[in-house]
Amino acid sequence: MCQDDTATCPADPGRNARELAHRQVEHTTDLVWFAGADDVVLHANPAARDVLGCLVEHGQNAFAPFTVASRAVVETEVKPRLAGGQNWEGELSVSSPHGTIPLSVVITTVPYGIALAGRDLRARERIDAMTRHDALHDRLTGLRNRNGLVSAAEVVLAQGRAAVLVVHVEDLAVVSLVSGPQTVDTTMRELAKRLRRCLRDDDVAARLDDNDLAVLLPGDTADDATAVGHRVLDALAADHFWLERTRPLTIHVAVVAGPARTRLPDLLRRAEIALNDGRRTMPGGGVTTYDTDVHDALAEVAQLRFDLADAVEAGHLDLVYQPLVSLTDTTMYGVEALARWNHPARGPISPDVFVPWLEDDGLIQTAGAWIIDQALRQLAIWDAAAPANNLTVNVNVSGHQLTPELVDLATDALHRHGLEPQRLTLEITESVLANDPLAAINVLDGLRQAGISIAVDDFGTGYSSLASLHRLPADILKIDRSFIRDLDGTGGVLIKLMCQLANTLGMTTVAEGIEESAQAIALRRYGCNHGQGYLWARPLPASEILDQRNHHHTAPARPATV
């Protein structure tokens, strides 16, 4: 019997085929060795000999290099497949002088036995480990990222209580503006170093986004975490070098604690509420601990604002209509459309509350367009129900809506509902002229050229004065209700002046907030043309407007200009 595969064996007809196969794998980096039908090694390539050494020497068992666990797989999976003439492919581990090595292994049958080929998976495992690390960590700071924080929190919060700090760096936008993004990166790396020095080994630090860091504090109460928060604040706010000098940073730290099995998103949401409260009340930086009583109310407001956005998107706001009446003969000539929001759980929410939310949250354009369209749609419905109807409708618009697009939006809605532009009046407040009066005036002029009337609402309480009234591009002056309450004093004197000046300028006057007949009589005597208030009706649903109008005499299509 031949002692090795290089010996001369004239009786072996497969020798040439074996030698060819051996030569073909001499230079591959994969580990390859061959065995006869008795599983005894016939040949191993240099890569296999370098890694596995004597384990693949001639005469060794072909499966000897595999670990105990892998040999169990060989017995239960590999050999049965080979016996059936099938190849096997999978992952096995081998023992070598270099330690245990994972291999991607292919074992195939050959005419004289089997061939085993293995590819070292350590490089792939290193890449996989790096990929897993990168998926959970921020590359700039080396801290965990949001996903990494979530992963750690799942373990920590499943075991017990924990606290969370959210750290907001207020000045990074300024740093970027004056010193460039590289300085921001340097500053953020320095902040991460300082943050680590404030923490214990089992605390988890993370970078949530460009300006926010976070810390998960296993086992901490709110008091424990607040103490850590102050330590973090002192460390992070201390001087940083930028713009060629050392400067402090404005740092806000929010603290929130929760019992075991609290969800991290809930903790982060509460921390954000506390953080926003701290930024509002302590503009110079500080630590704010989540207070259930105070911050739950803020959380409720935040939820309401989310609900408002949903209501706007779904068209779930409502409109009510308050009559506009001639003071000469109490004829109802029009209505003012007023937005209302009936929250499904909280009930009616005051417009004084939700309208500023619409403006602050960027929803006023969408809501405003809906209100104009719905008011005109309702006017067309009244026209269809009462062909002699000649009511006008007033709609309030915010300064945020005074863009050139408003002209097309309003005229398109009029056309869509088959109404003449004279049927629509848009009400603005004086304050819309405060920031960019020229742009606002251009939009108002465009609306008037389209035939839409402009009313100045709450006149006398805002930006304008009687002296500047002639510069307002408006047709109607609505006198604020605060003057009506003081008819016998200074308010009455000012109303006379407003009515006289408006008359001179060709403007119509409407007094708001009239509740008593005596007020209506006095206003008519002072020269006011029209009125609005509880004396005639509170804001009414659309279904009651035509009945309300039938209680009054027929009026001109719009208030007569004095």
Side-chain angles (χ1 to χ4, degrees):
M1 180 176 180
C2 296
Q3 297 298 311
D4 60 50
D5 67 322
T6 60
T8 302
C9 296
D12 185 358
R15 178 172 178 271
N16 291 336
R18 289 202 306 273
E19 289 183 351
L20 177 62
H22 299 168
R23 287 196 299 270
Q24 288 175 337
V25 299
E26 284 299 289
H27 302 292
T28 180
T29 57
D30 290 342
L31 285 60
V32 182
W33 64 104
F34 300 88
D38 54 0
D39 296 339
V40 172
V41 174
L42 299 175
H43 176 79
N45 75 344
R49 293 196 298 270
D50 288 345
V51 174
L52 301 177
C54 64
L55 294 175
V56 289
E57 286 182 355
H58 185 273
Q60 293 284 354
N61 185 283
F63 300 108
F66 294 111
T67 62
V68 173
S70 292
R71 284 201 296 272
V73 175
V74 168
E75 295 299 326
T76 58
E77 296 183 22
V78 177
K79 287 186 176 181
R81 288 184 64 87
L82 296 176
Q86 296 178 300
N87 300 331
W88 184 90
E89 183 175 350
E91 292 187 9
L92 299 173
S93 295
V94 294
S95 298
S96 80
H98 310 287
T100 300
I101 301 173
L103 297 179
S104 174
V105 177
V106 177
I107 303 177
T108 59
T109 59
V110 293
Y112 52 86
I114 57 173
L116 303 90
R119 178 162 296 173
D120 192 338
L121 293 178
R122 286 176 297 180
R124 191 191 75 179
E125 289 189 345
R126 284 194 296 270
I127 293 173
D128 290 345
M130 291 174 60
T131 301
R132 290 193 297 270
H133 180 275
D134 290 347
L136 299 176
H137 289 79
D138 175 60
R139 289 190 177 185
L140 177 65
T141 62
L143 303 178
R144 287 185 176 242
N145 57 21
R146 186 179 290 270
N147 290 334
L149 183 65
V150 169
S151 176
E154 288 176 353
V155 176
V156 170
L157 290 169
Q159 297 172 346
R161 72 185 181 197
V164 168
L165 308 182
V166 172
V167 182
H168 179 78
V169 188
E170 196 72 50
D171 306 305
L172 288 184
V174 177
V175 174
S176 179
L177 184 65
V178 300
S179 296
Q182 289 183 338
T183 304
V184 173
D185 291 349
T186 301
T187 301
M188 186 54 73
R189 282 192 289 264
E190 175 62 22
L191 289 170
K193 290 180 184 177
R194 296 185 188 186
L195 181 61
R196 288 192 189 95
R197 290 197 290 265
C198 296
L199 305 178
R200 303 164 300 193
D201 290 342
D202 58 347
D203 296 334
V204 180
R207 186 184 184 200
L208 297 180
D209 52 41
D210 290 345
N211 298 323
D212 292 328
L213 304 171
V215 180
L216 179 65
L217 302 169
D220 276 18
T221 64
D223 289 341
D224 297 333
T226 299
V228 178
H230 282 286
R231 190 161 69 243
V232 168
L233 174 67
D234 293 340
L236 270 60
D239 286 349
H240 295 260
F241 186 81
W242 56 281
L243 203 59
E244 299 183 352
R245 57 175 289 186
T246 55
R247 303 167 183 268
L249 289 176
T250 302
I251 303 291
H252 291 277
V253 181
V255 180
V256 60
R261 304 197 181 283
T262 304
R263 295 175 63 250
L264 179 65
D266 292 335
L267 291 176
L268 290 177
R269 178 179 57 82
R270 294 171 195 162
E272 183 178 359
I273 292 168
L275 187 65
N276 290 336
D277 189 34
R279 294 177 69 191
R280 178 179 58 83
T281 58
M282 296 182 292
V287 178
T288 305
T289 302
Y290 185 87
D291 182 289
T292 301
D293 293 335
V294 174
H295 294 119
D296 277 0
L298 294 175
E300 184 176 10
V301 169
Q303 183 60 55
L304 284 174
R305 293 174 82 145
F306 282 123
D307 295 343
L308 177 61
D310 291 341
V312 170
E313 183 178 357
H316 287 168
L317 297 180
D318 297 311
L319 292 183
V320 293
Y321 302 87
Q322 188 169 32
L324 300 167
V325 175
S326 168
L327 291 180
T328 303
D329 56 10
T330 70
T331 300
M332 176 180 163
Y333 66 86
V335 293
E336 179 181 354
L338 300 166
R340 295 290 185 265
W341 179 35
N342 191 36
H343 189 273
R346 290 286 307 279
I349 307 295
S350 169
D352 292 338
V353 173
F354 76 78
V355 170
W357 292 348
L358 291 175
E359 294 178 336
D360 293 344
D361 296 344
L363 301 169
I364 194 65
Q365 296 284 9
T366 302
W370 180 87
I371 291 169
I372 290 173
D373 184 76
Q374 287 297 110
L376 294 176
R377 175 177 173 274
Q378 185 58 58
L379 195 58
I381 291 173
W382 289 327
D383 284 355
N389 172 54
N390 51 10
L391 292 175
T392 62
V393 64
N394 288 26
V395 176
N396 292 279
V397 293
S398 161
H400 297 278
Q401 295 172 260
L402 281 187
T403 64
E405 290 75 21
L406 179 60
V407 179
D408 290 338
L409 186 150
T411 54
D412 287 349
L414 285 162
H415 179 74
R416 184 161 53 250
H417 297 295
L419 298 169
E420 294 297 320
Q422 292 78 14
R423 306 283 297 279
L424 174 64
T425 295
L426 297 181
E427 296 191 11
I428 64 167
T429 60
E430 304 165 76
S431 60
V432 303
L433 302 177
N435 294 328
D436 191 349
L438 182 58
I441 286 172
N442 286 339
V443 175
L444 296 174
D445 282 340
L447 290 165
R448 295 179 76 200
Q449 290 170 11
I452 298 167
S453 295
I454 302 298
V456 180
D457 197 14
D458 302 331
F459 184 79
T461 63
Y463 169 76
S464 300
S465 65
L466 289 174
S468 63
L469 184 58
H470 69 283
R471 294 199 295 269
L472 288 173
D475 309 281
I476 301 166
L477 193 67
K478 297 191 75 175
I479 300 169
D480 186 70
R481 66 187 64 241
S482 61
F483 296 101
I484 311 304
R485 300 192 191 103
D486 189 28
L487 277 177
D488 296 330
T490 305
V493 176
L494 290 174
I495 287 174
K496 288 180 185 179
L497 290 174
M498 291 180 198
C499 292
Q500 290 170 4
L501 186 55
N503 182 40
T504 301
L505 295 173
M507 299 174 69
T508 298
T509 49
V510 179
E512 299 179 291
I514 302 174
E515 298 182 1
E516 301 172 2
S517 297
Q519 292 173 332
I521 294 170
L523 286 163
R524 185 170 65 242
R525 188 170 63 249
Y526 293 158
C528 186
N529 306 113
H530 305 289
Q532 177 180 359
Y534 288 179
L535 174 62
W536 297 285
R538 293 174 178 268
L540 301 169
S543 59
E544 297 182 23
I545 288 299
L546 291 182
D547 289 341
Q548 181 70 23
R549 185 180 184 279
N550 290 335
H551 290 290
H552 301 275
H553 297 95
T554 303
R558 58 188 296 102
T561 301
V562 177

